[in-house]
C-alpha cells in the first residue's frame, strides 16, 4: 500500500523540526565534550597531546566527510532509513569503544564508526528540513541549530558527571545508549511531497550506456554526480564558499577541543572547566532564535554571506583573548563573546549554502562541502597537539585558530564582494546592450513601418522583463 506523502510547510514540518533539533544535539554537539575525556585518555593510554588529538579529529572528520556516502544513501533509500542506520552505527561505535585497549582501536570505533553514523543522522536531518520548509526555511534552520546549543550546554556536564562515577569506559557505554535516540528521530522523517525531489538515481546515465562506458568511467560519473564537481566548476560562489569554510575549519574546532585542557592546565577545577564549554551552548539557546528571525527577513537575503564572514572574523578575533589571560573570569567573558560569533556561524553556514546552490542539488553540494571540511577537521587538532607538544604553550594553539579564522573571513568577504560587483557590471552591460538594440539606427521606410513597430515593441518588452 503506497504511503501518503506529507506537504511542505505543513503541520508535520514542525515535528520534523523537533526531530532535527534533537538529532543535532546528539550528533553535531557531541565532539564539544571530548575535551572532558582528554586528560583521562591521555593518562590511561600513556599518549602525547598529538596522539590523543587524533580521536576528536577523526570523529569530526567522519562526521563531515561521510557526506557523499550519505547523499548516495539518501537518494537510494531516503532520509528516514539513512537516519536510523546512522543512529545504529553511532551507538555501536561508542559501545565498542568502551572495550578499546589501545588508541588505534578507539580511532576505529569511536572515531570512524561513530563519526560515520553521526554523519548519516545529522546530514539526513538537514536535507529533510530543507524540503519540509520553503517559506520559513531560514527560521527553521535557526531553530534546528538550537539543538547544537542544547547539546553543547548539556553534553560536557553530563559527560563529566558520568566520568566521575563510571570512568570513561562506562561513560562511553551510556552514551552509546543515548545515541540510539537518533533512530527515533529518523522514524519521524516521513516522505514529503515537493516540487523538487531529492536525487533518486544512483547514476544520471541510462543503463544501456553504463556497459558501454565501462566500469571505470561509470565510477567516475557517479563520483562527479554525487560530489557536485559540476557545481564546483560552474558556480563560482559555491567554490569560494567551500574553500573559505574548509580553511575556516582548520581553526574553528580548536577551542572546543583545547579549552577545557587549557583551563585545567592553569589550575581551574574540572567542574568549572567543563562549565566553560556549556556557556557556549546556553547563550546560543537564546541567541539563535532571535538571530534567525532577524536574518530570515527578505531585506537581509543578499547580505547573509557577508554576515557569515563577519561572524567568522569575530570568532577569530575573540580567540586572541585566551592568549592574554587564563583567569576563570576572563575565560567566562571570552565564552560569552565567543557565543555571539558561534551563533552567527551556526545559523548561517547551511543557509548560505542553500542560497548559493539550487535545492535539488543540495545533497550533492553538501556532500562535497562537508568532505573538504572533514579533511580540515582531521588535520587541525593533531597539528595543534603537535604544536603544543613542541612548545608546551597553549597560547600558540589559540593563535593558530585565530589565524585560520581571520584569513578565511577576509577571503570570503572580499571574494563575495568582488563577485557581486562583477555581477552588477554584467547586468548593466546587458541592459545597455538591450537598450541599444531597441533603439532604431535610422528612420524606417513606409514599407517597413509596421514591421519595425512590431520589432521595437518586442524589444521594449524584453528590457522591461529584465
Amino acid at each position: 500500500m503506497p504511503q501518503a506523502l506529507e506537504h511542505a510547510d505543513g503541520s508535520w514540518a514542525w515535528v520534523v523540526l523537533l526531530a532535527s533539533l534533537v538529532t543535532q544535539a546528539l550528533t553535531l554537539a557531541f565532539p564539544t565534550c571530548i575535551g572532558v575525556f582528554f586528560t583521562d585518555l591521555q593518562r590511561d593510554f600513556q599518549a602525547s597531546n598529538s596522539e590523543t588529538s587524533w580521536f576528536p579529529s577523526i570523529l569530526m572528520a567522519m562526521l563531515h566527510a561521510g557526506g557523499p556516502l550519505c547523499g548516495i544513501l539518501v537518494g537510494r533509500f531516503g532520509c528516514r532509513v539513512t537516519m536510523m542506520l546512522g543512529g545504529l552505527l553511532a551507538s555501536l561505535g561508542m559501545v565498542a569503544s568502551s572495550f578499546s585497549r589501545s588508541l588505534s582501536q578507539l580511532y576505529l570505533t569511536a572515531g570512524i564508526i561513530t563519526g560515520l553514523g553521526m554523519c548519516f543522522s545529522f546530514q539526513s536531518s538537514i536535507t529533510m528540513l530543507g524540503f519540509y520548509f520553503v517559506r520559513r526555511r531560514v527560521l527553521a534552520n535557526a531553530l534546528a541549530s538550537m539543538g547544537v546549543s542544547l547539546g553543547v550546554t548539556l553534553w560536557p556536564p553530563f559527560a563529566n558527571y558520568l566520568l566521575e562515577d563510571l570512568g570513561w569506559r562506562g561513560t562511553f557505554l551510556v552514551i552509546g545508549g543515548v545515541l540510539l535516540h537518533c533512530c527515533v528521530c529518523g522514524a519521524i522523517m516521513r516522505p514529503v511531497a515537493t516540487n523538487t525531489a531529492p536525487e533518486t538515481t544512483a547514476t544520471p546515465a541510462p543503463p544501456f550506456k553504463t556497459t558501454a562506458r565501462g566500469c571505470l568511467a561509470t565510477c567516475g560519473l557517479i563520483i562527479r554526480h554525487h560530489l557536485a564537481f559540476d557545481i564546483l566548476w560552474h558556480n563560482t560562489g559555491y567554490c569560494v564558499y567551500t574553500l573559505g569554510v574548509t580553511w575556516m575549519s582548520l581553526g574553528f574546532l580548536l577551542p572546543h577541543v583545547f579549552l577545557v585542557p587549557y583551563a585545567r592546565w592553569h589550575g581551574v577545577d574540572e567542574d568549572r572547566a567543563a562549565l566553560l564549554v556549556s556557556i557556549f551552548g546556553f547563550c546560543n539557546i537564546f541567541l539563535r532564535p532571535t538571530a534567525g528571525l532577524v536574518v530570515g527577513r527578505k531585506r537581509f537575503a543578499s547580505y547573509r554571506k557577508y554576515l557569515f564572514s563577519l561572524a567568522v572574523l569575530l570568532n577569530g578575533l575573540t580567540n586572541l583573548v585566551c592568549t592574554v589571560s587564563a583567569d576563570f573570569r576572563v575565560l567566562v567573558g571570552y565564552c560569552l563573546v565567543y557565543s555571539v560569533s558561534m551563533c552567527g556561524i551556526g545559523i548561517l553556514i547551511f543557509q548560505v549554502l542553500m542560497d548559493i546552490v539550487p535545492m535539488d542539488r543540495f545533497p550533492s553540494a553538501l556532500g562535497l562541502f562537508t568532505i573538504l571540511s572533514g579533511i580540515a577537521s582531521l588535520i587541525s587538532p593533531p597539528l595543534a597537539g603537535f604544536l603544543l607538544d613542541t612548545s608546551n604553550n597553549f597560547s600558540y594553539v589559540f593563535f593558530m585558530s585565530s589565524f585560520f579564522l581571520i584569513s578565511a573571513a577576509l577571503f570570503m568577504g572580499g571574494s563575495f564582494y568582488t563577485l557581486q560587483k562583477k555581477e552588477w557590471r554584467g547586468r548593466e552591460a546587458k541592459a545597455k546592450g538591450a537598450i541599444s538594440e531597441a533603439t532604431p539606427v535610422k528612420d524606417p521606410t513606409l514599407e517597413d513601418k509596421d514591421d519595425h513597430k512590431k520589432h521595437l515593441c518586442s524589444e521594449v518588452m524584453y528590457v522591461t522583463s529584465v
Side-chain angles (χ1 to χ4, degrees):
M1 181 177 179
Q3 185 178 10
L5 299 179
E6 298 290 339
H7 295 283
D9 294 313
S11 58
W12 193 255
W14 299 102
V15 181
V16 172
L17 173 61
L18 179 61
S20 180
L21 185 149
V22 174
T23 302
Q24 292 193 40
L26 294 174
T27 58
L28 196 61
F30 175 73
T32 59
C33 75
I34 297 299
V36 175
F37 308 107
F38 197 91
T39 304
D40 293 83
L41 293 174
Q42 189 177 13
R43 182 186 64 250
D44 287 1
F45 292 115
Q46 297 297 309
S48 63
N49 288 295
S50 180
E51 291 173 337
T52 311
S53 298
W54 277 105
F55 165 45
S57 65
I58 292 174
L59 177 63
M60 284 297 296
M62 295 307 300
L63 180 57
H64 294 292
L69 181 58
C70 178
I72 295 174
L73 292 176
V74 167
R76 179 66 179 86
F77 301 104
C79 290
R80 171 184 281 185
V81 176
T82 306
M83 281 189 66
M84 297 177 72
L85 175 63
L88 289 174
L89 286 177
S91 176
L92 177 64
M94 291 305 297
V95 171
S97 67
S98 64
F99 301 98
S100 298
R101 298 300 175 185
S102 64
L103 273 178
S104 59
Q105 294 178 4
L106 193 69
Y107 298 157
L108 174 63
T109 54
I112 296 178
I113 298 178
T114 297
L116 191 63
M118 288 182 173
C119 171
F120 290 169
S121 295
F122 158 64
Q123 294 194 24
S124 298
S125 68
I126 290 293
T127 302
M128 203 62 167
L129 196 67
F131 286 109
Y132 258 101
F133 286 90
V134 179
R135 291 184 290 107
R136 301 184 181 92
R137 185 173 292 164
V138 180
L139 178 61
N141 281 322
L143 293 176
S145 67
M146 283 178 58
V148 182
S149 306
L150 289 171
V152 172
T153 304
L154 299 177
W155 270 123
F158 177 66
N160 190 60
Y161 172 75
L162 293 177
L163 184 63
E164 292 177 353
D165 294 336
L166 304 176
W168 69 267
R169 296 184 184 276
T171 303
F172 279 17
L173 190 63
V174 174
I175 290 175
V178 173
L179 292 177
L180 283 174
H181 288 84
C182 292
C183 299
V184 180
C185 296
I188 295 176
M189 300 293 177
R190 298 175 181 173
V192 58
T194 58
N195 294 329
T196 305
E199 298 165 310
T200 56
T201 57
T203 60
F208 69 88
K209 290 185 179 181
T210 301
T211 56
R213 292 178 182 272
C215 181
L216 185 61
T218 303
C219 293
L221 190 62
I222 294 174
I223 293 174
R224 180 183 175 185
H225 181 64
H226 287 285
L227 287 184
F229 284 123
D230 55 335
I231 304 177
L232 188 67
W233 182 259
H234 297 291
N235 192 330
T236 310
Y238 175 69
C239 182
V240 168
Y241 188 60
T242 302
L243 292 177
V245 173
T246 301
W247 188 256
M248 177 202 78
S249 300
L250 289 170
F252 180 70
L253 182 63
L254 298 183
H256 299 274
V257 176
F258 290 97
L259 181 61
V260 175
Y262 170 66
R264 294 178 64 178
W265 176 269
H266 288 87
V268 180
D269 60 81
E270 296 181 7
D271 294 334
R272 299 174 80 186
L275 180 63
L276 291 173
V277 180
S278 298
I279 294 175
F280 295 160
F282 183 75
C283 293
N284 274 255
I285 293 175
F286 305 100
L287 289 174
R288 294 200 180 198
T290 306
L293 289 172
V294 174
V295 177
R297 295 179 177 272
K298 291 184 179 180
R299 68 181 70 178
F300 291 103
S302 59
Y303 299 103
R304 287 172 192 152
K305 48 185 177 288
Y306 299 112
L307 293 174
F308 178 79
S309 302
L310 182 62
V312 175
L313 179 62
L314 178 61
N315 194 279
L317 294 175
T318 306
N319 288 332
L320 296 176
V321 174
C322 292
T323 64
V324 178
S325 174
D327 183 74
F328 180 74
R329 290 172 294 182
V330 175
L331 292 179
V332 170
Y334 156 77
C335 293
L336 293 175
V337 180
Y338 186 92
S339 301
V340 178
S341 60
M342 184 180 173
C343 167
I345 294 174
I347 66 173
L348 290 174
I349 185 169
F350 296 113
Q351 181 58 46
V352 173
L353 184 61
M354 290 179 182
D355 293 340
I356 293 176
V357 300
M359 198 58 206
D360 61 329
R361 297 306 312 279
F362 179 75
S364 298
L366 181 64
L368 180 60
F369 176 80
T370 54
I371 195 172
L372 293 177
S373 301
I375 294 174
S377 301
L378 178 65
I379 299 172
S380 179
L383 182 61
F386 174 76
L387 184 64
L388 181 59
D389 287 332
T390 55
S391 64
N392 202 28
N393 190 344
F394 276 93
S395 297
Y396 291 110
V397 174
F398 292 96
F399 276 126
M400 173 183 168
S401 176
S402 297
F403 166 74
F404 286 116
L405 288 164
I406 293 173
S407 56
L410 295 177
F411 167 73
M412 287 188 290
S415 299
F416 283 138
Y417 177 75
T418 303
L419 291 175
Q420 190 172 24
K421 198 171 182 180
K422 185 177 179 180
E423 184 181 354
W424 287 343
R425 289 177 180 175
R427 289 178 180 177
E428 291 177 358
K430 287 183 180 180
K432 290 180 181 178
I435 292 174
S436 62
E437 290 178 4
T439 304
V441 178
K442 60 180 181 178
D443 293 332
T445 60
L446 293 174
E447 297 175 358
D448 299 331
K449 188 173 182 180
D450 293 334
D451 293 336
H452 178 72
K453 284 183 178 180
K454 294 178 181 179
H455 176 73
L456 183 61
C457 180
S458 63
E459 294 292 341
V460 171
M461 287 297 293
Y462 173 74
V463 173
T464 305
S465 64
V466 172

